[in-house]
């Protein structure tokens, strides 16, 4: 007999192998078994996001959060989707909720910085990228984004130093 955990593990593996269309039915079967499991809703949302089904993904993340509002990764994922859709106010609200539940996540701080940068709020962006780097000193994306932000702010000395740091940090 199939278990929700086994279906979930298979769905995660398929999503990681860039086969989200194959993963979604497995997550759905797992949800038939455990409909109140927030991680299953989150995982189907990730697969839907990868297929470009953004509204369905947002619905899945919202369902996960209805069950467990503390899932910072669901808030983060909703923020990323709404950012990509150009819904910056929604993205900011989702990122703020993510930070409320996981203030030590460098990824969330980086994403808030990207949003601020996109809105031309370079000083706010810089603060966010610096917080991300404080939490994870070799976080390549945050270092890269901070370098660009410093350039926008005319702080060429900091931008040059960040170029030097970036050359020694492994980009994954």
């Amino acid at each position: 007999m199939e278990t929700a955990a086994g279906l979930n593990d298979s769905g995660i593996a398929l999503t990681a192998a860039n086969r989200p269309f194959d993963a979604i039915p497995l997550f759905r079967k797992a949800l038939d078994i455990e409909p109140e499991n927030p991680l299953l809703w989150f995982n189907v949302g990730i697969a839907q996001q990868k297929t470009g089904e953004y509204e369905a993904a947002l619905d899945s993340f919202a369902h996960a959060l209805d069950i467990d509002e503390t899932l910072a990764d669901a808030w983060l994922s909703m923020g990323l989707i709404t950012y990509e859709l150009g819904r910056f106010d929604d993205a900011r609200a989702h990122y703020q909720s993510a930070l409320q539940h996981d203030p030590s996540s460098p990824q969330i701080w980086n994403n808030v910085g990207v949003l601020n940068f996109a809105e031309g709020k370079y000083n706010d962006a810089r603060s966010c990228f610096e917080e991300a780097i404080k939490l994870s000193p070799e976080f390549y994306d945050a270092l890269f984004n901070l370098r660009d932000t410093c350039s926008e702010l005319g702080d060429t000395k900091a931008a040059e130093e960040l170029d030097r740091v970036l050359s020694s940090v492994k980009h994954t």
Side-chain angles (χ1 to χ4, degrees), residues 12-54:
I12 290 170
L14 288 168
T15 302
N18 203 27
R19 294 179 49 199
F21 288 103
D22 295 329
I24 291 171
L26 297 181
F27 291 129
R28 293 276 180 218
K29 283 174 88 173
L31 283 165
D32 287 342
I33 299 167
E34 291 183 20
E36 295 303 309
N37 183 328
L39 295 177
L40 292 174
W41 284 104
F42 174 75
N43 290 335
V44 75
I46 293 294
Q48 290 165 325
Q49 182 179 5
K50 286 184 173 252
T51 66
E53 299 173 62
Y54 297 127

Side-chain angles (χ1 to χ4, degrees), residues 117 122-123 126-127 130 143-164:
F117 188 94
Y122 301 119
N123 285 317
R126 182 178 189 161
S127 295
E130 288 171 343
L143 289 163
F144 183 92
N145 292 333
L146 180 57
R147 182 206 54 201
D148 289 353
T149 303
C150 289
S151 293
E152 286 293 327
L153 290 168
D155 189 348
T156 54
K157 184 176 179 181
E160 289 169 1
E161 174 61 17
L162 287 159
D163 259 337
R164 186 192 65 72

Side-chain angles (χ1 to χ4, degrees), residues 23-160:
I24 291 171
L26 297 181
F27 291 129
R28 293 276 180 218
K29 283 174 88 173
L31 283 165
D32 287 342
I33 299 167
E34 291 183 20
E36 295 303 309
N37 183 328
L39 295 177
L40 292 174
W41 284 104
F42 174 75
N43 290 335
V44 75
I46 293 294
Q48 290 165 325
Q49 182 179 5
K50 286 184 173 252
T51 66
E53 299 173 62
Y54 297 127
E55 292 303 326
L58 288 170
D59 288 343
S60 293
F61 295 136
H63 200 97
L65 291 165
D66 285 342
I67 300 165
D68 181 359
E69 71 175 19
T70 68
L71 288 176
D73 285 341
W75 289 113
L76 175 62
S77 295
M78 290 178 78
L80 181 59
I81 290 172
T82 51
Y83 171 82
E84 290 175 356
L85 294 174
R87 295 168 21 197
F88 289 179
D89 289 341
D90 290 341
R92 184 169 304 284
H94 296 314
Y95 288 150
Q96 291 305 320
S97 293
L99 281 174
Q100 178 184 351
H101 297 290
D102 188 3
S104 63
S105 167
Q107 184 64 50
I108 299 168
W109 282 106
N110 184 67
N111 285 23
V112 175
V114 169
L115 176 59
N116 285 326
F117 188 94
E119 293 178 324
K121 300 175 183 174
Y122 301 119
N123 285 317
D124 291 342
R126 182 178 189 161
S127 295
C128 291
F129 297 136
E130 288 171 343
E131 183 65 23
I133 293 164
K134 183 173 84 174
L135 294 165
S136 180
E138 294 191 356
F139 185 8
Y140 187 91
D141 291 350
L143 289 163
F144 183 92
N145 292 333
L146 180 57
R147 182 206 54 201
D148 289 353
T149 303
C150 289
S151 293
E152 286 293 327
L153 290 168
D155 189 348
T156 54
K157 184 176 179 181
E160 289 169 1

